[in-house]
Amino acid sequence: MTENNVGTGVWLIRILFGLWALVSIACIMTGGSAWGYGIARWAEDHYLFKGWGMIDWIVGLFGGGIVAAGLLLAGFFFRFLSWNKAPLASLGLAVVSVAFLIATFLIYSQTGNADDSNEVVLLQGICILGLFVLALPPFLHWMLARPRPASATTKIPRAS
């Protein structure tokens, strides 16, 4: 392979990583606007009467799904990025993902129905699955990439 082809390959990979990051950010921003719309409707309706419209609930959760897809893409981005701070960025992404899932559950579970209604149980299952899919892989990336201290079984060479 010539030097020119290697340089072209590096730039192609950088462009693809940049597009990947842009798609991730676009998913988070567009989904976040729908998710925020659902939260705004909840805040507006929650203080006037108990419960909120099903369409607002569905739009908000659909936006939450798009945000989750963006967070998943960001997790893959940080995993394959060759940057020495990528594991720390993955830890930050894991914390943001957990906060997003907890906020989604706490806000969208207040439907005005019983706590064991179909939509609340479905939301609970989706949020628990989201913890395993969105938050656990970036956390494991951070945890497995940390430098380890020398173990007790490591043999130290003797000086002769």
Side-chain angles (χ1 to χ4, degrees), residues 13-96:
I13 289 173
R14 287 181 181 173
I15 289 171
L16 290 176
F17 264 109
L19 289 175
W20 193 346
L22 286 176
V23 168
S24 173
I25 291 170
C27 284
I28 292 171
M29 297 301 285
T30 57
S33 64
W35 188 74
Y37 166 78
I39 291 174
R41 291 292 302 175
W42 168 80
E44 181 180 297
D45 294 344
H46 185 68
Y47 294 109
L48 297 176
F49 63 93
K50 185 71 176 163
W52 52 341
M54 186 57 84
I55 298 297
D56 301 329
W57 192 80
I58 291 171
V59 167
L61 284 182
F62 182 71
I66 295 173
V67 170
L71 290 173
L72 186 66
L73 286 173
F76 285 131
F77 177 76
F78 288 138
R79 175 63 184 96
F80 295 117
L81 188 64
S82 60
W83 177 43
N84 60 351
K85 299 290 184 187
L88 189 60
S90 289
L91 178 63
L93 182 69
V95 169
V96 167

